[in-house]
């Protein structure tokens, strides 16, 4: 096989593993949400609400009948929990024990953060929750006149986060985006395995999670934002063991690190994804590893909301546009919920090889669906690049 054909196969392996090749990869309804989360390993939580928040957006992309309430219900049923993967995330409760190494790192004071928290604040917050029940951060705002005392907002907020990160507290629910904290023993089901995994078990978990979710991965992607030379060695050992057992195959492409691919996926013919448009969240699992997307799909993507306006190239909150197995561009958009209007502030079409007619109708349908998901009933197209496409696109939305 040529390197180009290998690359195309890796693209399809990735999209199929991510649940982006067909419409109902994980089924329908609430059970599909749990199935998707258990398959992908995590879904990143983000508070930005320019469009529907990232965790809901990511599920909706894969589950057409997704409803925001499904995730809340699964949290109440204790089938999912919140913790840290590479960022704040929802994870399946079955994987709770693999969060323990990081929790214990915080408990021992070996993490980079929360090492100088006042023990009085920790005791106060934990005792308050034990006696008064679940609490939000705002419940600890002092009504006294002496800000800065150890029970004031800042110390207790820090104490809440440390107790959460070290596993003494869990998020028992949310009020909007506000987290509600409770003692772990009152949240975590008694049937959940709480045995700390060995370093090798943790490495196996990371390798298996990445291979299941992406089909193909690299050592760098597996240990993304994880620290320690020993972890890298353990990950390399697990991959070598899988190579010897012919569970994975190593693929080499010029300019890329060694890629490890599930053998079962290579043995089967991966069909071309359906020619649908998917408007992806900037925090979607499929694009969160920016280097992976650029290497596999030749699509350089950066979220520009965190950089100064004058330095932005595409816009504040761009969504990657995936058509089948090709990224055709990105769109900076915003849901004006009070007005019920979904605005495409600037649509950037970057793929010059595909005829507009091939993706135009699916794109319009995808935007219309996404507008409804964002509780908007009208669509406004403000700017298009290249400008030569503007009239054709505006006419398509006016039909």
């Amino acid at each position: 096989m040529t390197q180009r054909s290998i690359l195309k196969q890796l693209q399809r392996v990735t999209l199929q593993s991510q649940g982006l090749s067909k419409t109902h990869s994980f089924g329908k309804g609430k059970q599909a949400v749990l199935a998707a989360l258990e398959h992908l390993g995590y879904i990143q939580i983000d508070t930005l609400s320019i469009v529907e928040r990232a965790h809901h957006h990511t599920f909706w992309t894969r589950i057409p009948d997704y409803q925001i309430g499904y995730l809340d219900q699964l949290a109440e049923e204790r089938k999912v929990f919140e913790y840290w993967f590479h960022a704040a995330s929802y994870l399946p409760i079955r994987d709770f024990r693999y969060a323990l190494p990081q929790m214990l790192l915080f408990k021992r004071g070996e993490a980079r953060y929360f090492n100088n928290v006042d023990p009085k604040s920790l005791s106060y917050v934990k005792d308050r929750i034990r006696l008064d029940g679940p609490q939000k951060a705002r419940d600890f705002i002092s009504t006294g006149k002496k800000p800065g005392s150890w029970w004031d907002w800042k110390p207790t907020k820090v104490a809440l986060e440390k107790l959460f990160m070290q596993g003494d507290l869990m998020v028992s629910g949310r009020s909007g985006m506000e987290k509600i904290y409770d003692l772990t023993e009152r949240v975590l089901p008694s049937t959940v395995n709480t045995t700390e995994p060995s370093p090798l078990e943790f490495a196996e978990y990371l390798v298996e999670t990445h291979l299941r979710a992406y089909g193909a991965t690299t050592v760098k992607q597996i240990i993304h934002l994880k620290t320690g030379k020993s972890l890298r060695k353990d990950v390399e050992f697990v991959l070598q063991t899988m190579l010897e057992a012919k569970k994975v195959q190593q693929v080499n492409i010029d300019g890329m690190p060694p890629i490890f691919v599930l053998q079962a996926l290579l043995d089967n013919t991966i069909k071309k994804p359906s020619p649908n448009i998917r408007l992806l969240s900037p925090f979607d699992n499929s694009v969160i590893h920016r280097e992976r997307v650029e290497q596999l799909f030749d699509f350089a993507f950066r979220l520009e909301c965190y950089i100064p306006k004058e330095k932005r190239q595409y816009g504040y909150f761009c969504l990657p546009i995936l058509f089948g197995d090709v990224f055709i561009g990105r769109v900076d958009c915003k849901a004006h919920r009070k007005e019920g209007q979904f605005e495409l502030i600037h649509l950037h079409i970057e793929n010059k090889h595909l005829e507009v007619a091939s993706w135009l109708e699916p794109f319009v349908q995808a935007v219309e669906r996404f507008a409804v998901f964002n509780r908007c009933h009208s669509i406004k197209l403000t700017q298009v690049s290249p400008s030569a496409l503007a009239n054709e696109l505006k006419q398509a939305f006016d039909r």
Side-chain angles (χ1 to χ4, degrees):
M1 294 178 69
T2 65
Q3 291 212 341
R4 183 174 179 180
S5 61
I6 294 172
L7 192 60
K8 179 57 67 176
Q9 188 172 14
L10 289 178
Q11 290 173 358
R12 293 179 181 178
V13 160
T14 297
L15 294 175
Q16 176 175 296
S17 300
Q18 276 287 299
L20 295 173
S21 290
K22 55 185 182 180
T23 306
H24 294 283
S25 296
F26 300 107
K28 298 180 181 181
K30 186 174 67 173
Q31 290 309 308
V33 178
L34 183 59
L37 184 61
E38 289 182 341
H39 180 84
L40 297 173
Y42 79 98
I43 293 289
Q44 185 168 332
I45 301 169
D46 197 81
T47 57
L48 290 171
S49 59
I50 311 304
V51 298
E52 187 55 73
R53 290 186 172 91
H55 40 293
H56 296 307
H57 184 172
T58 301
F59 279 120
W60 175 85
T61 300
R62 293 159 174 80
I63 305 166
D65 66 342
Y66 175 77
Q67 297 177 24
I68 290 172
Y70 288 155
L71 192 53
D72 292 335
Q73 291 168 29
L74 289 169
E76 290 172 6
E77 294 167 7
R78 306 303 185 224
K79 293 179 179 177
V80 307
F81 74 106
E82 293 187 35
Y83 196 63
W84 209 259
F85 193 75
H86 70 268
S89 303
Y90 282 102
L91 298 103
I93 201 73
R94 70 173 190 189
D95 291 345
F96 180 83
R97 68 186 294 247
Y98 298 105
L100 289 172
Q102 182 152 288
M103 290 177 180
L104 294 173
L105 201 68
F106 278 92
K107 199 156 214 168
R108 293 191 297 261
E110 298 172 4
R112 292 177 58 190
Y113 307 103
F114 303 122
N115 291 327
N116 298 306
V117 182
D118 185 352
K120 290 183 178 180
S121 295
L122 294 172
S123 296
Y124 169 73
V125 168
K126 198 170 179 180
D127 289 344
R128 167 87 176 271
I129 291 175
R130 179 180 289 108
L131 293 171
D132 295 347
Q135 302 285 309
K136 301 186 288 290
R138 69 164 66 188
D139 295 327
F140 289 92
I141 298 176
S142 173
T143 57
K145 296 182 179 180
K146 296 176 65 178
S149 57
W150 58 265
W151 57 84
D152 189 42
W153 163 262
K154 289 185 179 178
T156 52
K157 172 62 175 173
V158 173
L160 273 171
E161 290 302 320
K162 178 173 173 59
L163 289 166
F164 168 71
M165 290 303 296
Q166 70 184 31
D168 290 329
L169 299 180
M170 290 182 71
V171 175
S172 64
R174 282 181 178 261
S175 176
M177 281 301 291
E178 282 188 286
K179 290 184 281 190
I180 303 171
Y181 298 91
D182 199 357
L183 300 178
T184 293
E185 58 260 34
R186 296 200 298 227
V187 177
L188 190 66
S190 59
T191 54
V192 172
N193 186 346
T194 56
T195 306
E196 183 186 4
S198 68
L200 188 58
E201 283 181 309
F202 184 67
E204 289 172 342
Y205 158 73
L206 290 178
V207 171
E208 290 169 1
T209 297
H210 278 78
L211 285 171
R212 184 180 64 244
Y214 295 98
T217 190
T218 67
V219 172
K220 183 178 179 181
Q221 289 159 9
I222 292 170
I223 62 173
H224 179 60
L225 296 182
K226 305 287 190 297
T227 57
K229 290 183 179 179
S230 59
L231 176 59
R232 184 183 186 94
K233 288 181 179 179
D234 285 338
V235 165
E236 289 173 342
F237 174 79
V238 172
L239 287 169
Q240 183 59 40
T241 302
M242 294 181 77
L243 277 170
E244 292 171 2
K246 298 187 186 315
K247 291 182 179 179
V248 299
Q249 185 179 129
Q250 181 175 318
V251 174
N252 297 306
I253 296 178
D254 292 343
M256 297 186 194
I259 300 170
F260 299 89
V261 191
L262 281 173
Q263 188 65 53
L265 292 176
L266 290 176
D267 289 341
N268 296 323
T269 301
I270 306 294
K271 295 181 179 179
K272 184 177 181 178
S274 56
N276 296 325
I277 289 282
R278 296 182 188 269
L279 304 173
L280 300 175
S281 166
F283 302 100
D284 192 282
N285 299 50
S286 63
V287 296
I288 201 65
H289 294 284
R290 312 303 192 202
E291 186 178 70
R292 175 207 296 275
V293 178
E294 189 162 0
Q295 288 176 340
L296 288 185
F297 294 91
D298 193 25
F299 183 67
F301 178 72
R302 300 291 183 274
L303 182 58
E304 298 182 343
C305 63
Y306 300 116
I307 63 176
K309 185 176 181 179
E310 61 274 12
K311 293 184 179 181
R312 292 175 195 149
Q313 182 180 358
Y314 295 104
Y316 183 82
F317 201 75
C318 276
L319 311 183
I321 305 170
L322 178 66
F323 175 55
D325 55 6
V326 178
F327 284 91
I328 64 170
R330 66 202 81 198
V331 57
D332 184 29
C333 49
K334 179 178 175 61
H336 302 281
R337 296 181 183 89
K338 287 185 179 180
E339 297 83 6
Q341 183 181 78
F342 190 83
E343 182 182 7
L344 306 180
I345 300 169
H346 197 158
L347 170 62
H348 305 265
I349 299 300
E350 299 156 55
N351 188 294
K352 299 177 181 178
H353 304 294
L354 290 173
E355 293 289 335
V356 176
S358 66
W359 55 260
L360 182 56
E361 190 59 33
F363 177 73
V364 171
Q365 292 173 358
V367 171
E368 289 174 345
R369 282 190 63 244
F370 194 53
V372 172
F373 182 60
N374 279 272
R375 302 178 295 285
C376 295
H377 53 76
S378 66
I379 297 168
K380 178 183 179 182
L381 178 60
T382 303
Q383 188 176 353
V384 179
S385 292
S387 57
L389 298 177
N391 285 339
E392 190 171 359
L393 277 153
K394 286 181 179 179
Q395 288 174 10
F397 279 106
D398 288 340
R399 288 203 297 265

